[in-house]
Amino acid sequence: NTTITNDTGTTQYPRTTVVQKSINKKPFAIEIYNSNDIVSNHVKSRGWETGFIKAFKDIYLQYSAKHNVPLSELTFLDIGANIGWFTLNMAALGVNVVAFEPMEQNYELIKRSLKEKTNIDNGVSDRVTLYEHGLGVKEETCFLYSDNGNVGDGHIKCVEREEDLSIEKGYSIRQKVVVKRLDDVLTSEKIKSMKIIAAKLDCEGFEGNVLEGGMNVLLDGGILNILSEYQPTWIKEKGSGNGGDADLYLRRFKDAGYRLSLIHI
């Protein structure tokens, strides 16, 4: 079932559609782009990265049953939420979600999804905390750009001037964005009360910067499972200081006691 919610469309806000989905037989609604967006195209049909969605679902259901902790007391951390596919799935499952998405047209989609009656009635909307900024090594203003054929897939580079920004042909600058340190946003006191069981990092090469500014949360915050995109070339290209060291990125997780598994998709 779909409903056209933005039939006119503009350069900044393309046409969109609301799609009804479910996880574990629990329904939710998500607003997606009608065209020029890979995630939306998959969501419209069978869903995006459904194997990872199932893995997270199983992780939370098993943890809840094993430790006799309600799902409503557990949290999922979504860094690079895009249009909210992982966020809304986990919130519909019954888990609290802390989501970070710096791209305006993406987080506006998430906000509109959260206003959908299905999500309000099922408590999905109340379980999502959305931060409308990026994460990095320090607080600063950077540039966000994306592929014209995949508009919601935002990339970030931190340079002083727009003319210092080198992007591939077919990409367009979308906006300036603020990035902050994850450890400054989610303090140690907040982390203790959240019970973050799993996290997802998908930042198009900015993951190294996110980790450098969020080691307390990501390495010492008690998160049991972390799914991270890993593109070494992008990490080196977009990184600042140690945030650009792709080998160090993996080594930090290993040194913190995580078992690493590389999945090629």
Side-chain angles (χ1 to χ4, degrees), residues 98 100 131 133-135 180-187 190 194 213 217:
V98 177
F100 291 86
Y131 289 91
H133 61 76
L135 296 171
K180 302 180 181 181
R181 297 177 71 253
L182 177 59
D183 286 343
D184 292 338
V185 180
L186 300 184
T187 62
K190 287 183 179 180
M194 284 182 178
V217 174

Side-chain angles (χ1 to χ4, degrees), residues 159-177:
V159 294
E160 290 187 7
R161 302 172 302 175
E162 185 174 323
E163 51 264 37
D164 296 329
L165 187 65
S166 176
I167 60 176
E168 298 178 38
K169 184 179 180 181
Y171 284 71
S172 297
I173 298 173
R174 305 299 173 185
Q175 64 185 98
K176 287 184 177 181
V177 296

Side-chain angles (χ1 to χ4, degrees), residues 113-128:
S113 292
L114 295 176
K115 293 178 181 178
E116 285 293 316
K117 187 176 187 302
T118 299
N119 295 333
I120 294 172
D121 290 348
N122 294 339
V124 173
S125 303
D126 290 336
R127 288 191 281 270
V128 176

Side-chain angles (χ1 to χ4, degrees), residues 31-170:
E31 187 162 346
I32 64 174
Y33 299 111
N34 278 2
S35 60
N36 296 331
D37 184 69
I38 292 175
V39 174
S40 295
N41 291 343
H42 282 272
V43 170
K44 193 182 303 182
S45 54
R46 296 184 178 180
W48 173 249
E49 296 188 341
T50 54
F52 293 138
I53 294 293
K54 182 182 184 303
F56 281 132
K57 180 191 75 172
D58 291 345
I59 285 169
Y60 277 90
L61 292 177
Q62 290 169 12
Y63 184 94
S64 175
K66 181 178 180 180
H67 298 278
N68 196 28
V69 178
L71 291 173
S72 59
E73 294 183 10
L74 305 178
T75 302
F76 176 72
L77 179 59
D78 191 357
I79 300 175
N82 198 278
I83 61 172
W85 173 244
F86 278 80
T87 287
L88 292 167
N89 266 280
M90 299 312 297
L93 183 65
V95 174
N96 296 307
V97 180
V98 177
F100 291 86
E101 175 52 48
M103 190 172 188
E104 183 178 4
Q105 63 184 38
N106 281 349
Y107 66 65
E108 287 297 335
L109 275 190
I110 297 174
K111 288 162 69 175
R112 293 207 294 272
S113 292
L114 295 176
K115 293 178 181 178
E116 285 293 316
K117 187 176 187 302
T118 299
N119 295 333
I120 294 172
D121 290 348
N122 294 339
V124 173
S125 303
D126 290 336
R127 288 191 281 270
V128 176
T129 300
L130 175 63
Y131 289 91
E132 301 168 13
H133 61 76
L135 296 171
V137 176
K138 61 182 180 180
E139 183 165 346
E140 59 183 324
T141 300
C142 306
F143 291 93
L144 186 146
Y145 59 95
S146 68
D147 189 333
N148 296 329
N150 190 20
V151 294
D153 191 25
H155 296 247
I156 293 177
K157 279 188 180 179
C158 298
V159 294
E160 290 187 7
R161 302 172 302 175
E162 185 174 323
E163 51 264 37
D164 296 329
L165 187 65
S166 176
I167 60 176
E168 298 178 38
K169 184 179 180 181

